[in-house]
Amino acid sequence: MAERKLFAGHAVRRLRRGQGLTQATMAEMLGISPSYLNLVERNQRPVSATLLLGLAETFDFDPRALSAGEPGGGEEAMRRRLADPLFADIEIDRTELTEWLAAAPGGAEAFARAYDRIGAGAVASTGEGEDPGGAVRREIERWRNHFADLDAAAEALADELRIASSDPFGAMADRLRVKHQLSIRVLPIEVLSGLRVRLDLHARQLQLSEALDPPSRVFALARQLASEARAEIDALVRGAGFTDRTAERLYRRHLSGYFAAAVMMPYARFLRACEATGYDLELLRRRFGASAEQVAHRLTTLQRVGARGLPFFMLRIDRAGQVSKRFAGASGSPIVESIAPCPLLDAYAAFQRADERVVQLVELEDVAGAGTTRWFTSSRCVAPPGGWAGAVKARFVVMLGLAADAARGLAAARGLDFAGEATPVGLGCRACTRECPQRSAPPTGRALVVNEREAGVSPFGFAGD
């Protein structure tokens, strides 16, 4: 898949101004023409590999800042915000959005922060401050859920532990015992009183519930080993600048989990396996001793410069359509921001088909000028490790998604007619303007039309544009 062009004029302009340079002076230092630099700063030209290298060498500039520092998280993130029904009556096309980000990056960033604050949990009405989960998710998406320093540290640790061996649990347990003076103890479920993992520093034990399956046990040990990446995690947490202590702890927990997954599935080896197997999720799960959900998480993180994987997104939904996890990665998919996942998604069928993967080709209507797009989805029912006999068992569906054009070589997509019909879906009834028999509410911003002499396929008729 061709690499996406990187437009980051705002970051280049910010760097130049921070150095106190004119365009002519900076262009001379980089060996380019002032007119070309001007076009780059106005997002009329992408940042080339040559220019990227020049910036890094001349100004000791971290290239990741070009994407991490995009106003509002970049064009795709801004488009997802503008897909909110609140803006249904405002037509902002792709060109207008690009011009806005180029001409007024500060204003775009201010809009993004205000939208995120208001939209992250009815903040305005409660006066309780921003939802910590929303703040953490925004920071994760700012990095597109790829943390290069953590991946590098995890890969080095995996090599040292020889994770390729047949006993990753034993290798990690030895590491914790020798380097951290922590022993591992598996306890009866009643002893841990509902907990799955507990770190008992007094006894110097990492205690695991007997209810944990093998992938969960390995993950628990790998997460504890994230203490060896404390410097990298601390730097990311400081850079996030959270003012809320809960948000900081949630973010730290996400980064520790990211590190754990990266130890279990080291970047280079995992990516090679993905490409060799056609991203066969079941083979990947068995090869790396991971759960289906752990593999799905990992697939959203493969954005290493020069070694990118396919840009998957991931949703975890329950039977009521509530989303408990969502990662856009580098997919740019508006589906991730669904108010409630569309009921026409076959993901819901996975609840009735345990251990079977459900695939679907869907077509999303034009969202904030992005055009009509097709997406491939692959869904599987998962269950967290169990508890007491007779207790309520949690069930979720993990849905992975990928732009249809990029999904043709997937093992899960074999036999699928990509040129055939796709299921038309929306971003939830309140954000969707399609005529649909499944509709449960009229779209926000459209007047409800009631005609006593007529009845359509949907109980909710609404005015057009």
Side-chain angles (χ1 to χ4, degrees):
M1 186 178 67
E3 292 291 340
R4 185 172 56 183
K5 293 181 179 179
L6 176 60
F7 292 89
H10 57 282
V12 176
R13 181 168 57 249
R14 185 166 59 242
L15 172 64
R16 177 176 61 79
R17 289 176 175 174
Q19 297 287 328
L21 302 174
T22 64
Q23 283 187 340
T25 302
M26 185 180 212
E28 182 178 357
M29 295 173 68
L30 294 170
I32 61 177
S33 68
S35 60
Y36 173 64
L37 179 58
N38 180 264
L39 290 172
V40 168
E41 289 193 5
R42 291 164 51 202
N43 279 346
Q44 300 291 315
R45 293 288 187 276
V47 177
S48 67
T50 302
L51 178 56
L52 192 62
L53 183 61
L55 290 168
E57 291 180 344
T58 306
F59 300 102
D60 191 24
F61 179 68
D62 185 349
R64 289 172 297 174
L66 291 178
S67 59
E70 293 180 77
E75 188 171 313
E76 296 296 342
M78 291 294 285
R79 186 177 293 116
R80 292 197 296 269
R81 292 182 180 93
L82 292 170
D84 191 296
L86 179 65
F87 312 116
D89 60 336
I90 304 175
E91 295 185 3
I92 302 178
D93 61 24
R94 181 184 293 270
T95 301
E96 188 175 358
L97 177 57
T98 301
E99 291 175 349
W100 180 26
L101 294 176
E109 177 65 23
F111 161 80
R113 292 184 186 182
Y115 174 86
D116 292 342
R117 177 173 290 275
I118 294 171
V123 180
S125 61
T126 64
E128 296 177 357
E130 184 177 11
D131 168 46
V136 170
R137 181 169 174 267
R138 185 174 69 251
E139 184 66 15
I140 293 170
E141 297 299 354
R142 189 169 77 89
W143 288 94
R144 294 180 179 171
N145 200 24
H146 173 70
F147 303 94
D149 291 344
L150 287 184
D151 265 311
E155 214 162 18
L157 177 58
D159 288 342
E160 192 174 342
L161 293 173
R162 298 181 180 177
I163 291 299
S165 70
S166 60
D167 185 19
F169 183 89
M172 292 182 190
D174 286 344
R175 177 81 169 200
L176 287 169
R177 177 178 55 81
V178 173
K179 187 168 183 176
H180 301 273
Q181 293 76 55
L182 285 174
S183 62
I184 309 301
R185 189 174 181 187
V186 179
L187 294 174
I189 190 170
E190 64 271 16
V191 173
L192 286 182
S193 303
L195 296 177
R196 295 176 182 169
V197 181
R198 179 170 63 194
L199 177 62
D200 187 336
L201 290 176
H202 179 73
R204 302 303 300 174
Q205 289 180 351
L206 183 63
Q207 300 169 348
L208 308 179
S209 168
E210 63 181 344
L212 291 179
D213 57 16
S216 299
R217 294 186 184 191
V218 174
F219 185 84
L221 269 60
R223 171 172 270 177
Q224 187 60 42
L225 286 170
S227 61
E228 298 191 19
R230 189 184 308 277
E232 291 85 352
I233 291 175
D234 286 347
L236 288 165
V237 172
R238 285 195 304 271
F242 294 120
T243 57
D244 183 275
R245 183 67 173 163
T246 301
E248 181 179 312
R249 288 173 175 166
L250 284 173
Y251 188 46
R252 192 177 292 276
R253 185 171 71 178
H254 174 80
L255 296 174
S256 296
Y258 184 103
F259 181 86
V263 172
M264 293 176 67
M265 295 167 273
Y267 194 101
R269 190 157 64 88
F270 184 72
L271 180 58
R272 284 197 300 270
C274 288
E275 294 173 341
T277 64
Y279 288 78
D280 189 315
L281 303 176
E282 299 310 311
L283 277 178
L284 292 171
R285 183 171 63 87
R286 290 193 290 270
R287 183 173 299 183
F288 290 91
S291 70
E293 186 170 344
Q294 288 166 352
V295 170
H297 270 263
R298 189 62 171 141
L299 288 174
T300 69
T301 71
L302 303 180
Q303 297 302 314
R304 177 177 286 177
V305 175
R308 297 186 191 277
L310 294 176
F312 285 92
F313 70 81
M314 173 190 151
L315 291 176
R316 191 179 75 171
I317 60 177
D318 64 17
R319 292 178 184 272
Q322 300 170 116
V323 180
S324 52
K325 291 183 181 179
R326 58 178 91 212
F327 297 106
S331 70
S333 177
I335 295 175
V336 181
E337 305 299 329
S338 300
I339 300 170
C342 180
L344 298 180
L345 289 168
D346 282 350
Y348 296 101
F351 281 111
Q352 309 304 323
R353 296 159 69 174
D355 297 325
E356 184 179 344
R357 193 159 289 281
V358 178
V359 302
Q360 186 182 24
L361 188 64
V362 302
E363 186 172 85
L364 190 66
E365 64 179 337
D366 187 7
V367 177
T372 301
T373 55
R374 285 191 166 202
W375 300 86
F376 170 82
T377 66
S378 173
S379 305
R380 189 179 191 275
C381 185
V382 300
W388 298 90
V392 174
K393 304 293 185 182
R395 292 288 185 274
F396 300 96
V397 161
V398 171
M399 182 177 79
L400 282 166
L402 184 67
D405 289 343
R408 296 177 184 274
L410 296 182
R414 289 170 188 156
L416 189 66
D417 182 9
F418 281 88
E421 290 189 9
T423 304
V425 300
L427 302 182
C429 293
R430 289 294 189 184
C432 179
T433 59
R434 294 183 186 275
E435 292 290 342
C436 175
Q438 190 70 56
R439 179 172 290 283
S440 60
T444 302
R446 300 291 178 89
L448 186 64
V449 175
V450 180
N451 190 328
E452 296 180 354
R453 300 180 181 180
E454 297 178 354
V457 296
S458 167
F460 300 99
F462 52 90
D465 293 324

